[in-house]
């Protein structure tokens, strides 16, 4: 089953290198809508997938951080980045361009990490983030699924490469929220297996298989002799 929670915010950006010149060369704004879709195969003690009240603090603060904020791409012109941060109290520095597609991936990483660190003690079972939809206009949106969030072809989103303006951090219910998220994401990464470091020696594998087969044959013959 899927449930949806909708958030709204106003944001300004420049999307460098896109096809439309107005978008790629001039700062402009949008009224964004962000949909979080959660999924589970069971209900909690309140017969709900997930109580939306649990999203009113940390998750709300993370998304609200982008309201009346200028979204900046860290690879943009340094002079532009410095000027925008000097003349605006509210800005977010991102490791990817602030397109709707990258916003959906960024929010997936942030919200997914926040949910993984949320205490679920009311019988919630297997609750996970299914996808994130970012509406940039009334007619267009981008939807990010789990495989998109970690797709290296779309650019790796490292939480450590995201920076929120001090004014934004001071407004959060928990000023240490983002530092805690980054630490949690780092621990999760340490626990994961790096496929590049996993190798199998074909000859050793073949020898192991042959040895196991010989033992099975001996055991089978021994059982036959007993009967």
């Amino acid at each position: 089953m899927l449930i949806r929670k909708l958030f709204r915010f106003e944001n300004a950006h420049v999307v460098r290198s896109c096809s439309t010149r107005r978008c790629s060369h001039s700062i402009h704004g949008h009224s964004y809508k962000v949909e979080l879709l959660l999924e589970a195969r069971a209900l909690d003690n309140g017969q709900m997938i997930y109580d939306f009240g649990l999203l009113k603090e940390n998750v709300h603060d993370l998304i609200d951080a982008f309201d009346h904020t200028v979204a900046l791409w860290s690879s943009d012109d340094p002079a532009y980045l410095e000027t925008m941060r000097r003349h605006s109290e509210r800005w977010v520095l991102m490791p990817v361009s602030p397109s709707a597609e990258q916003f959906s991936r960024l929010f997936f990483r942030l919200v997914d990490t926040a949910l993984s660190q949320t205490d679920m003690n009311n019988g919630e079972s297997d609750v996970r983030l299914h996808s994130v939809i970012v509406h940039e206009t009334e007619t267009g949106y981008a939807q990010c699924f789990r495989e998109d969030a970690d797709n290296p072809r779309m650019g790796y989103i490292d939480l450590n490469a995201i920076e929120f303006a001090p004014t934004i951090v001071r407004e959060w219910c928990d000023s240490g929220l983002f530092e805690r998220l980054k630490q949690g994401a780092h621990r999760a990464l340490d626990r994961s297996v790096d496929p590049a470091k996993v190798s199998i020696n074909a000859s050793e594998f073949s020898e192991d298989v042959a040895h196991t087969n010989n033992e099975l044959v001996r055991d089978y013959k021994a059982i036959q002799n007993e009967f």
Side-chain angles (χ1 to χ4, degrees), residues 132-163:
V132 174
I133 299 176
V134 173
H135 297 258
E136 190 174 76
T137 66
E138 289 298 318
T139 60
Y141 69 80
Q143 184 169 9
C144 174
F145 297 91
R146 186 168 299 275
E147 58 268 26
D148 302 316
D150 298 321
N151 186 347
R153 296 180 62 191
M154 296 183 181
Y156 178 62
I157 298 179
D158 183 0
L159 296 190
N160 289 289
I162 303 171
E163 183 180 353

Side-chain angles (χ1 to χ4, degrees), residues 22-210:
R22 288 187 179 184
C23 296
S24 62
H25 286 72
S26 300
I27 188 168
H28 59 284
H30 297 282
S31 296
Y32 287 89
K33 292 188 292 185
V34 178
E35 298 181 58
L36 306 182
L37 284 81
L38 306 182
E39 65 177 339
R41 299 293 178 265
L43 303 178
D44 64 11
N45 294 335
Q47 298 191 15
M48 304 163 65
I49 291 292
Y50 192 77
D51 191 332
F52 285 145
L54 298 176
L55 301 176
K56 290 183 177 180
E57 293 185 2
N58 292 345
V59 170
H60 171 269
D61 281 350
L62 289 170
I63 297 177
D64 185 65
F66 290 82
D67 184 51
H68 284 76
T69 298
V70 57
L72 304 170
W73 181 22
S74 58
S75 294
D76 210 326
D77 182 85
Y80 168 73
L81 298 178
E82 195 277 331
T83 299
M84 296 306 295
R85 284 184 286 184
R86 187 172 71 249
H87 291 285
S88 178
E89 281 191 341
R90 297 181 63 83
W91 50 264
V92 178
L93 190 65
M94 303 165 46
V96 290
S97 179
S99 63
E101 289 84 350
Q102 295 291 30
F103 262 141
S104 69
R105 298 181 67 235
L106 186 81
F107 285 130
F108 194 104
R109 293 276 287 120
L110 290 171
V111 174
D112 190 51
T113 304
L115 288 177
S116 70
Q117 297 182 23
T118 301
D119 292 331
M120 298 187 186
N121 51 19
N122 192 39
E124 299 92 342
S125 178
D126 300 327
V127 179
R128 67 199 303 259
L129 185 60
H130 171 270
S131 60
V132 174
I133 299 176
V134 173
H135 297 258
E136 190 174 76
T137 66
E138 289 298 318
T139 60
Y141 69 80
Q143 184 169 9
C144 174
F145 297 91
R146 186 168 299 275
E147 58 268 26
D148 302 316
D150 298 321
N151 186 347
R153 296 180 62 191
M154 296 183 181
Y156 178 62
I157 298 179
D158 183 0
L159 296 190
N160 289 289
I162 303 171
E163 183 180 353
F164 293 95
T167 299
I168 293 174
V169 175
R170 286 195 295 268
E171 292 180 356
W172 287 343
C173 297
D174 176 7
S175 60
L177 166 63
F178 191 50
E179 290 302 316
R180 190 173 67 254
L181 292 188
K182 290 190 291 186
Q183 293 173 7
H186 181 70
R187 287 194 296 270
L189 184 63
D190 287 343
R191 290 194 299 268
S192 65
V193 177
D194 184 357
K197 297 180 180 179
V198 178
S199 61
I200 298 177
N201 185 302
S203 60
E204 292 180 359
F205 179 75
S206 298
E207 291 175 0
D208 289 341
V209 171

